[in-house]
Amino acid sequence: QVHLVESGGGSVQPGGSLRLSCAASGNIFSGYVMGWYRRIPGKERELVATITSAGRTYYAMSVKGRFTISRDGPSNSIYLEMNNLGPEDTAVYYCNYFQGSINSWGQGTHVTVSS
């Protein structure tokens, strides 16, 4: 089992920035993929960005160039730096850990972009 705790959500004006954090604990081994997903109101949950234990990253087209995913190996944490936020980024953001048969989700953190 892997337990995930997110933090860093909040409200920001358009054009602003936020940084999300996700701390993982439990049975963590190399070879994982961790990432951020979001559920925009009225839509299905969608992938935002992922990072592997080797540091490879992937971004959804909608956030490429604005968001940066990173990780801190020793603390088993990942981060999402979000810049130039727009109202379309308003969503609940979820941290995910995937490895083999383990697919764990955090509780979600709200991000609201509004003037």
Side-chain angles (χ1 to χ4, degrees), residues 35 81 115:
E81 186 75 35
S115 55

Side-chain angles (χ1 to χ4, degrees), residues 30-114:
S30 61
Y32 63 73
V33 180
M34 291 186 70
W36 292 96
Y37 292 71
R38 67 186 181 187
R39 189 186 300 276
I40 295 170
K43 295 187 177 181
E44 296 290 320
R45 184 161 56 188
E46 64 181 23
L47 183 148
V48 176
T50 60
I51 188 165
T52 70
S53 56
R56 286 192 295 272
T57 59
Y58 172 84
Y59 296 92
M61 285 301 296
S62 59
V63 306
K64 213 168 188 178
R66 299 187 299 125
F67 292 10
T68 302
I69 189 170
S70 60
R71 68 184 181 93
D72 177 62
S75 67
N76 295 317
S77 296
I78 65 168
Y79 309 93
L80 187 68
E81 186 75 35
M82 304 185 293
N83 297 313
N84 194 22
L85 285 161
E88 68 275 13
D89 298 312
T90 294
V92 180
Y93 285 72
Y94 298 90
C95 180
N96 174 261
Y97 176 98
F98 178 78
Q99 181 182 38
S101 61
I102 301 174
N103 188 24
S104 296
W105 294 92
Q107 79 284 358
T109 184
H110 290 258
V111 171
T112 301
V113 184
S114 151

